[in-house]
Amino acid sequence: MISKKIVIKIPTGLEARPVALLVQVASQYESNVYVECEEKKVNAKSIMGMMSLGLPAGEEINVIVDGSDEEVAMENIEKYLCGNK
């Protein structure tokens, strides 16, 4: 299991379209992917869960990835959240 603090650099924050794209990125991997913000922890493969966080640009989140492809998954999720699709 690995975790990393990441600042969201997508200009619009995580609203509908960016959340859908993040869910697509996370869903490519076998690993479990979670996003923590304050006291909330949600499955990054769940559109409804991610939408419930309402994360603005500049927000710092903790991404937790656990599984066989966790390194690659974390790398690509971080690239997406930092605006380096």
Side-chain angles (χ1 to χ4, degrees):
M1 177 169 67
I2 55 176
S3 69
K4 187 171 201 173
K5 293 205 179 293
I6 299 173
V7 175
I8 298 168
K9 294 182 183 162
I10 299 168
T12 59
L14 290 181
E15 40 113 77
R17 183 163 170 70
V19 163
L21 293 173
L22 174 60
V23 169
Q24 284 181 354
V25 171
S27 295
Q28 294 174 33
Y29 303 100
E30 291 288 319
S31 297
N32 293 316
V33 183
Y34 296 95
V35 171
E36 280 183 332
C37 183
E38 295 168 14
E39 291 90 49
K40 284 187 170 181
K41 179 179 179 181
V42 300
N43 183 342
K45 296 180 183 182
S46 163
I47 288 180
M48 294 310 290
M50 289 302 301
M51 289 296 292
S52 74
L53 293 177
L55 299 168
E59 183 79 34
E60 184 179 71
I61 59 173
N62 191 34
V63 178
I64 301 156
V65 186
D66 185 22
S68 59
D69 52 3
E70 62 190 26
E71 298 283 338
V72 169
M74 179 67 82
E75 185 180 315
N76 288 308
I77 289 165
E78 183 176 17
K79 276 184 193 171
Y80 176 71
L81 290 172
C82 291
N84 304 326
K85 300 172 190 148

